[in-house]
Amino acid sequence: MSTHTDAGFRSVAADSTVMLRRNLKHVLRSPDTMLMAVALPIMLMLLFVYVFGGAIDTGTEYIDYVVPGIILLCAAFGASTTAVSVSTDMTEGIIDRFRTLPIAQSSFLTGHVLVSVVRNLVTTAIVIAVALLMGFRPTTDPLKWLAVLGVIGIFIFGLSYLSTALGLLAENPEAASGFTFAIMFLPYVSSAFVPADSMPTWLQWFAENQPVTPVIETVRGLLMGTEIGNSAWLALAWCAAISVVGFVWSTVLYRRRVAA
């Protein structure tokens, strides 16, 4: 039984790797998509730092405050790309070809999720590099940088599965892009750009109790030494919940679409 299970796992891993390579080639053949994924967060960072930053009081240098939020915004923008990519595959007929091949059906989902994680981490690294050139000065150490990478990676992983489900739910790529609007909107109503306690009471409650804020506060605390409190545990709990919901939802939707 153990040998059979190990062989099955290796088969799924091998098929997922093939799907990952396929999707990476699509990314490389569509540099404009990658360019926009990088350009939009950078443009927003320039806008907030150089246009709005002087009027926003966060008790610290504004660029040091806003960069953790911009990092999470990268993942939110990436969610739209993932959903559109999944929806495109489902509507262009390639999935019918996959069904005739002796491959693990789950590898289709895994391939999209993994390439989303890779693409978003690369985008995040570029945004951080630009932020450093702009004057971002994190007060952290290599161990905390690894913790930041872990938190961001888990968040992107969960968001990738959720956006994969949205791509499967949509009837076409245009609808898939629209479905991810709520994900892209969340960072704006969080502590990404201004402290939550500066918002109206009703909006402050939402900002403090939605999934993006504890992730941002955890990343900000690790990078800048600000108080993290229970944000780390909340961030991990939210990321785990999003991952589970996204995985189950996308698996159910995919099986239904394939069986239809």
Side-chain angles (χ1 to χ4, degrees):
M1 177 66 72
S2 177
T3 302
H4 178 74
T5 301
D6 291 344
F9 176 79
R10 286 196 296 270
S11 176
V12 172
D15 292 341
S16 298
T17 302
V18 172
M19 289 294 183
L20 171 61
R21 287 202 298 267
R22 168 190 177 263
N23 293 329
L24 281 174
K25 288 180 180 178
H26 284 187
V27 171
L28 295 175
R29 291 171 182 172
S30 182
D32 55 328
T33 301
M34 190 69 182
L35 180 62
M36 288 304 297
V38 174
L40 284 174
I42 289 177
M43 289 172 62
L44 282 171
M45 182 165 60
L46 291 169
L47 177 66
F48 274 93
V49 171
Y50 293 127
V51 178
F52 302 137
I56 300 175
D57 181 17
T58 61
T60 183
E61 289 292 329
Y62 187 66
I63 188 170
D64 293 334
Y65 180 88
V66 80
V67 167
I70 296 294
I71 291 173
L72 270 293
L73 196 62
C74 291
F77 282 142
S80 177
T81 302
T82 302
V84 169
S85 179
V86 171
S87 182
T88 300
D89 275 350
M90 296 302 297
T91 55
E92 289 189 346
I94 188 64
I95 198 66
D96 295 327
R97 174 60 176 163
F98 291 155
R99 290 169 62 185
T100 66
L101 297 175
I103 62 174
Q105 294 301 309
S106 62
S107 63
F108 171 78
L109 301 178
T110 307
H112 275 288
V113 169
L114 291 178
V115 80
S116 176
V117 173
V118 172
R119 184 182 62 245
N120 280 290
L121 287 177
V122 170
T123 302
T124 298
I126 294 173
V127 168
I128 291 175
V130 173
L132 291 171
L133 292 175
M134 291 172 58
F136 176 53
R137 294 295 179 264
T139 57
T140 187
D141 54 55
L143 188 60
K144 289 182 179 178
W145 269 112
L146 287 176
V148 168
L149 179 62
V151 172
I152 294 172
I154 295 170
F155 180 73
I156 291 173
F157 178 80
L159 213 57
S160 297
Y161 256 118
L162 183 60
S163 56
T164 297
L166 293 174
L168 291 166
L169 183 67
E171 294 184 359
N172 53 64
E174 291 76 16
S177 179
F179 283 171
T180 59
F181 175 78
I183 296 176
M184 291 188 289
F185 182 72
L186 281 179
Y188 295 100
V189 194
S190 70
S191 62
F193 302 107
V194 296
D197 57 15
S198 67
M199 302 177 184
T201 304
W202 61 272
L203 191 58
Q204 179 181 339
W205 182 90
F206 177 80
E208 292 176 344
N209 293 279
Q210 56 121 318
V212 174
T213 292
V215 179
I216 291 174
E217 292 303 323
T218 301
V219 172
R220 184 176 287 133
L222 290 170
L223 289 176
M224 304 308 305
T226 56
E227 184 179 353
I228 296 178
N230 62 350
S231 292
W233 298 111
L234 288 172
L236 293 176
W238 272 114
C239 289
I242 293 171
S243 299
V244 171
V245 170
F247 173 78
V248 173
W249 194 15
S250 60
T251 300
V252 170
L253 288 174
Y254 180 69
R255 288 176 178 173
R256 288 179 180 175
R257 292 285 296 268
V258 170

